Amino acid sequence: MTLLSVENLKVSYGNIKALHGLTFEIDEGEIVCIIGANGAGKSTTLKAISRMVPVESGTRMAFDGKDLLRYPADRVVSELGVSHVPEGRRLFENLTVWENLKLATFAR
């Protein structure tokens, strides 16, 4: 069963085209890794899935059969359970990894 489906993902930052029509599917139970050079679009892809950046028209994304484009970022987390944990931001650097993860799920 497909858990995450992304089709024709396009994201721009002003005049800069970051993603040009990325398409992929992830099935339930799969472990997936996104690999690429700096500036290849890895973070932008994850931010688009978690609805932290706007996507261009023609993009389709679904998680567990639900249209991600109908959800703002806060509802992607609260209703679908999808979250984005940025790397290297040191938001709570005095906490352990486990404490940071517990804090991220506090509202649940």
Side-chain angles (χ1 to χ4, degrees), residues 4-89:
L4 175 66
S5 174
V6 175
E7 187 176 331
N8 197 35
L9 178 57
K10 295 180 183 177
V11 176
S12 295
Y13 297 107
N15 292 330
I16 299 170
K17 303 278 187 199
L19 298 174
H20 306 268
L22 180 64
T23 297
F24 63 91
E25 287 185 350
I26 299 173
D27 290 333
E28 190 173 336
E30 281 188 311
I31 297 173
V32 177
C33 180
I34 300 174
I35 300 172
N38 290 345
K42 301 177 300 293
S43 293
T44 298
T45 299
L46 296 175
K47 288 177 185 177
I49 292 166
S50 57
R51 307 296 291 128
M52 296 172 63
V53 296
V55 300
E56 295 181 17
S57 64
T59 296
R60 287 187 288 244
M61 296 190 297
F63 178 77
D64 199 20
K66 296 174 183 76
D67 183 357
L68 279 170
L69 299 180
R70 294 179 180 257
Y71 292 82
D74 63 320
R75 288 184 47 221
V76 168
V77 174
S78 65
E79 294 180 26
L80 300 180
V82 175
S83 63
H84 181 91
V85 180
E87 176 267 330
R89 301 294 186 248

